Amino acid sequence: LEVADQLNIYINSNMTSLNGAPNLISTTGIYLYENNALVDITELSDIQSVNLLSISGNALTNLEGLENIQTVTGDIFIANGILPNLNDLSSLSEVGGEIFLLNQTQLTDISVFSNITSVDNLIILACDSLSSLDGLQNITEIRGTLRMGFMPLLEELTIFQNLTTVGSLDFYENA
């Protein structure tokens, strides 16, 4: 099996890896939810483009296996995890929808987004360890909402000096 409409991995409390999963080269969506022991997704390394990348509530400390994704035509949603960085998405050059980072308590580095110039929405909430927004400096257009909140270490927003278009701005409960 090389092509699947969606890859849905939900609530598998003892699954530690995707070893043995079909070797996909194409899928419209990757959904990894509440797999409390999941630490290895390297089996996804052949995928280069997806419509939706949604990762929440897993035990992942890296995104190794997603390093070949160049385009997300829809949304990136990464929540409720312990990722210190998103560096394994370093091939990413385009996001057609929104970037939504929520409750990533260990996240300190989002520089992986430095090739992105426009998004629908950019929402980063409750990323307690994030003190720098380096990586967002090349975003010139946000067609919807720019929202930053609940980040006690975030002290400045000068990174958005190249932003020329934004629908609405929401900044709250930061340093």
Side-chain angles (χ1 to χ4, degrees), residues 2 4 8 16 25-26 28 36-37 52 60 69 84 89 92 94 96 99 115 124 129 132 137 149 159 166 174:
E2 293 183 347
N8 301 308
T16 60
I25 58 171
S26 178
T28 60
N36 299 330
L52 180 71
L60 297 168
I69 293 179
L89 293 174
L92 190 64
E94 180 182 349
I99 297 172
N115 292 326
I124 303 176
S129 300
S132 169
Q137 65 273 7
I159 201 78
V166 65
N174 297 302

Side-chain angles (χ1 to χ4, degrees), residues 20-63:
N23 192 19
L24 294 176
I25 58 171
S26 178
T27 183
T28 60
I30 297 173
Y31 302 84
L32 304 174
Y33 283 117
E34 301 301 325
N35 301 291
N36 299 330
L38 185 62
V39 295
D40 180 0
I41 58 173
T42 55
E43 293 293 314
L44 304 178
S45 65
D46 290 330
I47 298 172
Q48 295 180 3
S49 177
V50 296
N51 180 48
L52 180 71
L53 177 60
S54 188
I55 300 171
S56 180
N58 302 288
L60 297 168
T61 57
N62 64 62
L63 295 176

Side-chain angles (χ1 to χ4, degrees), residues 139-171:
I139 294 178
T140 58
E141 178 185 35
I142 299 174
R143 294 175 287 280
T145 300
L146 170 57
R147 177 174 294 144
M148 303 280 153
F150 305 111
M151 292 185 287
L153 301 179
L154 185 61
E155 295 182 356
E156 63 173 275
L157 301 170
T158 57
I159 201 78
F160 295 112
Q161 61 192 354
N162 294 324
L163 188 63
T164 59
T165 305
V166 65
S168 66
L169 297 167
D170 298 335
F171 300 105

